[in-house]
Amino acid sequence: MSVSVISLPRDFVLLQVVPELEAGGVERTAVDISRAVVEAGATSLIASAGGRMEMELTAHGGELIRMPVQSKNPVTIAANLGRLYRLIRARKVGLVHVRSRAPALSALPAARLAGVPALTTYHGVYNAKSALKRAYNGVMTKGRHVIANSDFTRRHVLETYGLDPRQVTAVARGSDLRWFDPDSVTEERRQKARAYFGLAADDKRTVFLLAGRLTRWKGQLLAVEAAQRLRDVGRRDFVLVMVGDDQGRLGYRAEIERAVASADLDDCVAVAGHFTDMPAAWLVSDVAVVPSLDPEAFGRTAVEPQLMGRPVVVAAHGAPVDTVVDDETGWLFRPGDAEDLARRMAQALDAGSERRRQMGEVGQARARELYSQEAMVEGTFGVYAQVLEEVWAQG
């Protein structure tokens, strides 16, 4: 990753507060920003309960401060406030960046007590069916500035909370273009991906890849229903592969597997589980599928395949409406509608490899311009500079 042209103050110390460091968009963004801060010559701290991305964080110069900030227990939240206050003072933190609601309950008051500016990133469009839940979600607007992870999220924040538009900046998630580069993926990595997904070397069927943690709103069951509709009309020219961590949701994973078995789809639908080499995964697929039942606040599984030259079939709500151009870089379908999803998947099949390749090239060029790691770092550092300048101007 290249260092941002926006310089950070001398002896700058950034503290990001993240619930955990497992796989996910929040964690990925936090670790990427940490790396950019270190490359800019500053100090990066992350307060978190930790997780599988710890080694990557420390390998690039970031420091993990292990703390149970993921907890919603009031006693733990109160204790975290004290822990974070002492950390901010002891390490001379210059800016606190909070990335989730539960940590915000302790991190924002700790920053105020320490006299240090804090900002938040609104990573998701949270459900709010009660006044209490709306108040809980609203804690993410209580910093000096709000970063929204997409234009869609920014619109949601402004409409929901009535903030001054100058207080909310959209900074799209960015991907490492060196990692998401088709030319960098070796044949060995492709073969490992095919083997992991149970795809034989001579299997010529079109591969749809649905990537995302196994949780109901990601729409895996909708995709199974769409696959069944395709088989019911005689399609035998496709396979649907699902990759993603079940994160302990064993009951939901079993429900998906039962749905596959009861529809007699075992030969064309595979639940492959967690897989880390996503560039190789996208390359051994032909089309990505993003059937999320709720709007995606950003939806990196709609952007990453485009970076790898693959078109996307995606539900027409949330941020993917902005990241995927209908009939140019992919196909939009009516959210929650299995019949329309099947129709669009059939269009992707009928488009043929050459048309899909052309769409992939268009999507790749667009995604590389708009959703690079460098663009994300520039946008984030720009907000940091704005917040710090406002504080200095106020004396």
Side-chain angles (χ1 to χ4, degrees):
M1 188 195 310
S2 61
V3 176
S4 170
V5 298
I6 299 176
S7 61
L8 298 174
R10 183 176 299 177
D11 301 325
F12 178 71
V13 179
L14 174 70
L15 171 63
Q16 297 183 84
V17 189
V18 185
E20 297 174 324
L21 288 177
E22 300 293 348
V26 175
E27 296 93 326
R28 175 78 270 152
T29 304
V31 170
D32 288 344
I33 289 297
S34 173
R35 178 178 177 180
V37 167
V38 172
E39 290 180 352
T43 299
S44 170
L45 311 176
I46 290 185
S48 172
R52 60 167 63 111
M53 297 180 73
E54 289 179 28
M55 291 183 62
E56 181 181 353
L57 169 70
T58 57
H60 294 295
E63 182 179 345
L64 172 66
I65 311 298
R66 199 176 302 279
M67 198 178 294
V69 292
Q70 85 287 6
S71 176
K72 297 178 182 178
N73 182 295
V75 175
T76 305
I77 289 171
N80 284 338
L81 195 161
R83 295 183 185 107
L84 288 165
Y85 170 79
R86 291 189 292 273
L87 173 64
I88 293 168
R89 296 296 300 270
R91 298 298 297 270
K92 296 182 171 56
V93 171
L95 184 65
V96 177
H97 188 164
V98 186
R99 294 187 176 275
S100 189
R101 292 167 294 176
L105 295 173
S106 53
L108 293 178
R112 283 195 293 270
L113 285 173
V116 171
L119 62 106
T120 63
T121 288
Y122 218 94
H123 282 280
V125 178
Y126 313 113
N127 292 323
K129 297 182 180 179
S130 67
L132 181 62
K133 190 64 178 291
R134 283 192 293 273
Y136 177 55
N137 296 344
V139 71
M140 293 301 290
T141 68
K142 302 304 182 183
R144 294 189 67 98
H145 203 93
V146 179
I147 294 176
N149 68 346
S150 68
D151 289 329
F152 168 75
T153 304
R154 181 176 186 271
R155 292 192 296 268
H156 168 80
V157 171
L158 292 175
E159 292 168 1
T160 303
Y161 300 104
L163 301 181
D164 184 334
R166 294 172 296 182
Q167 190 185 349
V168 186
T169 301
V171 179
R173 286 181 186 167
S175 298
D176 186 344
L177 300 186
R178 296 172 300 180
W179 178 238
F180 289 99
D181 175 9
D183 293 336
S184 70
V185 180
T186 63
E187 182 59 30
E188 180 183 7
R189 287 170 59 189
R190 296 189 194 207
Q191 290 176 0
K192 286 183 178 179
R194 290 187 68 87
Y196 192 85
F197 301 158
L199 299 172
D202 59 352
D203 192 335
K204 303 301 182 184
R205 292 177 295 176
T206 297
V207 179
F208 291 99
L209 181 62
L210 194 171
R213 63 188 183 277
L214 298 190
T215 185
R216 194 172 300 277
W217 76 270
K218 288 293 186 179
Q220 287 91 356
L221 289 173
L222 185 74
V224 172
E225 185 178 349
Q228 182 177 3
R229 289 173 181 269
L230 288 173
R231 291 299 291 269
D232 287 346
V233 296
R235 303 294 310 226
R236 297 290 187 272
D237 53 349
F238 75 95
V239 58
L240 171 66
V241 178
M242 302 182 191
V243 296
D245 194 342
D246 60 35
Q247 297 179 323
R249 301 182 186 90
L250 301 181
Y252 180 59
R253 177 171 184 149
E255 186 178 350
I256 296 170
E257 292 171 341
R258 285 195 301 271
V260 171
S262 65
D264 196 23
L265 296 173
D266 295 280
D267 64 329
C268 71
V269 178
V271 183
H274 182 65
F275 189 71
T276 57
D277 191 352
M278 288 310 299
W282 296 125
L283 277 190
V284 302
S285 71
D286 299 291
V287 183
V289 181
V290 186
S292 305
L293 303 181
D294 295 335
E296 291 276 2
F298 177 70
R300 61 195 175 107
T301 55
V303 172
E304 289 178 2
Q306 293 183 82
L307 288 170
M308 301 302 292
R310 297 296 184 262
V312 187
V313 177
V314 61
H317 57 177
V321 174
D322 298 321
T323 62
V324 178
V325 182
D326 194 24
D327 291 322
E328 291 186 24
T329 70
W331 298 268
L332 302 181
F333 73 93
R334 289 188 296 274
D337 189 329
E339 182 177 355
D340 200 42
L341 172 54
R343 180 180 69 87
R344 288 305 218 170
M345 290 172 70
Q347 288 182 350
L349 289 168
D350 294 338
S353 59
E354 180 58 23
R355 173 60 178 152
R356 292 194 298 265
R357 184 191 64 78
Q358 293 171 355
M359 295 177 74
E361 288 181 352
V362 174
Q364 184 180 50
R366 184 174 183 271
R368 288 181 68 86
E369 179 181 356
L370 296 177
Y371 306 115
S372 70
Q373 219 170 53
E374 288 76 11
M376 179 187 69
V377 170
E378 288 293 323
T380 303
F381 280 18
V383 174
Y384 290 174
Q386 177 183 338
V387 170
L388 295 173
E389 287 171 4
E390 289 173 355
V391 172
W392 295 331
Q394 294 172 1

